[in-house]
Amino acid sequence: MISNIQAECLLAFNIWDVNSAKAVVDAAADRKKNIILQTSSGIYSQIDAKETRAFIKSYADKKKISVWLHLDHCKDMKIIEDAIAMEWDSVMIDASDLSIQENIDKTKLVIEMAHKAGVLVEAEVGQIKGTEDNIDIQEHRIASREEIRKFLAEAEVDMLAVAFGNAHGIYKGKPKLDYDLIDYVAQLSGIPFVVHGGSGMEDGEIRKLSQKENVRKINISTEVKLAYRKGIMKSLKDGILEEDGFQATLVEKTIYEAIYQLAFHKLGIII
């Protein structure tokens, strides 16, 4: 994965079941783009990991694109260990709420465990405000240059997420992103820079980020969930949720189409 993610900027979409995964993969195949599919730690605990891994591999092969599976924002070492055993391609240890040294130490434990299995590790420096998978961060703390330098000097992480003015959820106004901080990380290391909070960013902002040499992963989570909601609301408006003549497959199809359109649009932003 690392050679591919260094070669191109990949969008990473959070999914939770076969229908959401299929919609995103179909959109990516139609755009002829490789992608990352992500499961949050909460979703991971609810799905059949072995069957999810098998389906995504099989369906990506069928569609003739590369699809990597990533464990997003996880603080639970047992879940990380299980995802590694289930052959997730990469895992994110989120110890950003700890001191920088504690973050480094915990990340190093994950790196040691993951690299033995050929699994990549993403970590986070600074704290990204917003709510993601019931992880609620009220205070936004942009990473300091000293913290980033220290982290990269001591932890041989494969991908790094840095708080640089981005946020989870939908933005209230236009975010003030510190592009100099992205450049600073590039000067320190050639590893991929991960942008969290891609949902709600303007198309031009996402395109600009994707053109940065070291930005190689941009996460889209909230907008996938809102596309699901859009599908439900359209089902309600169109009357296919009425009890008389109800067909679950029609609702699933409407949800699929909403997620597909969202993913297809987002993938078109990346040149």
Side-chain angles (χ1 to χ4, degrees):
M1 179 181 176
I2 191 70
S3 59
N4 294 80
I5 202 170
Q6 284 179 329
E8 59 181 321
C9 181
L10 299 174
L11 292 188
F13 297 89
N14 281 61
I15 52 93
W16 51 88
D17 61 6
V18 167
N19 196 43
S20 57
K22 187 173 181 293
V24 176
V25 173
D26 285 349
D30 289 345
R31 284 287 192 188
K32 295 181 172 55
K33 297 283 184 70
N34 299 320
I35 54 167
I36 298 169
L37 293 182
Q38 304 190 142
T39 55
S40 65
S41 57
I43 292 299
Y44 185 90
S45 299
Q46 298 176 42
I47 61 175
D48 185 316
K50 185 176 182 180
E51 293 301 323
T52 299
R53 170 72 279 180
F55 169 76
I56 289 173
K57 183 181 186 306
S58 174
Y59 200 64
D61 288 345
K62 177 181 177 181
K63 291 294 180 175
K64 296 181 172 54
I65 61 170
S66 295
V67 178
W68 294 278
L69 191 54
H70 175 75
L71 177 67
D72 192 27
H73 279 290
C74 191
K75 298 179 179 294
D76 190 321
M77 296 292 278
K78 289 183 179 179
I79 292 177
I80 290 174
E81 185 176 4
D82 194 73
I84 291 169
M86 289 294 106
E87 300 181 356
W88 258 233
D89 296 294
S90 56
V91 295
M92 179 188 182
I93 170 62
D94 183 356
S96 60
D97 57 323
L98 304 178
S99 71
I100 189 63
Q101 190 59 56
E102 289 172 318
N103 189 352
I104 290 168
D105 293 342
K106 193 168 185 179
T107 299
K108 287 171 72 173
L109 290 175
V110 174
I111 290 170
E112 182 180 5
M113 180 169 50
H115 283 185
K116 288 179 181 178
V119 174
L120 301 183
V121 178
E122 177 186 333
E124 182 175 314
V125 177
Q127 283 200 287
I128 301 169
K129 186 177 180 180
T131 301
E132 181 74 11
D133 188 36
N134 297 321
I135 299 173
D136 189 26
I137 306 299
Q138 294 296 328
E139 295 297 324
H140 188 88
R141 186 171 64 79
I142 292 180
S144 72
R145 282 163 169 72
E146 177 57 29
E147 285 178 322
I148 296 169
R149 186 204 60 75
K150 179 177 175 61
F151 191 95
L152 288 174
E154 297 185 31
E156 295 181 5
V157 72
D158 302 297
M159 298 179 281
L160 186 66
V162 170
F164 68 107
N166 48 332
H168 294 125
I170 297 299
Y171 293 93
K172 305 296 190 292
K174 186 175 180 178
K176 296 179 180 178
L177 304 180
D178 187 348
Y179 281 88
D180 289 341
L181 204 56
I182 299 176
D183 294 335
Y184 178 72
V185 175
Q187 292 169 14
L188 294 175
S189 172
I191 66 171
F193 185 101
V194 181
V195 174
H196 284 249
S199 291
M201 282 187 182
E202 295 178 356
D203 290 359
E205 199 81 78
I206 290 178
R207 184 175 293 111
K208 182 179 178 180
L209 284 165
S210 71
Q211 292 171 342
K212 300 292 289 184
E213 183 179 0
N214 58 327
V215 173
R216 288 296 174 260
K217 179 172 178 275
I218 300 177
N219 292 1
I220 309 292
S221 177
T222 300
E223 283 189 286
V224 183
K225 299 169 191 173
L226 290 177
Y228 179 95
R229 181 181 183 275
K230 181 179 179 181
I232 293 175
M233 298 306 290
K234 187 175 190 305
S235 297
L236 181 63
K237 181 181 178 181
D238 293 348
I240 61 176
L241 287 177
E242 297 296 328
E243 184 175 359
D244 186 27
F246 175 79
Q247 293 290 334
T249 53
L250 291 178
V251 180
E252 288 292 315
K253 183 174 184 290
T254 306
I255 292 170
Y256 164 92
E257 289 172 349
I259 296 174
Y260 173 94
Q261 291 298 331
L262 179 275
F264 189 81
H265 172 75
K266 290 292 183 183
L267 287 161
I269 298 169
I270 306 298
I271 298 173

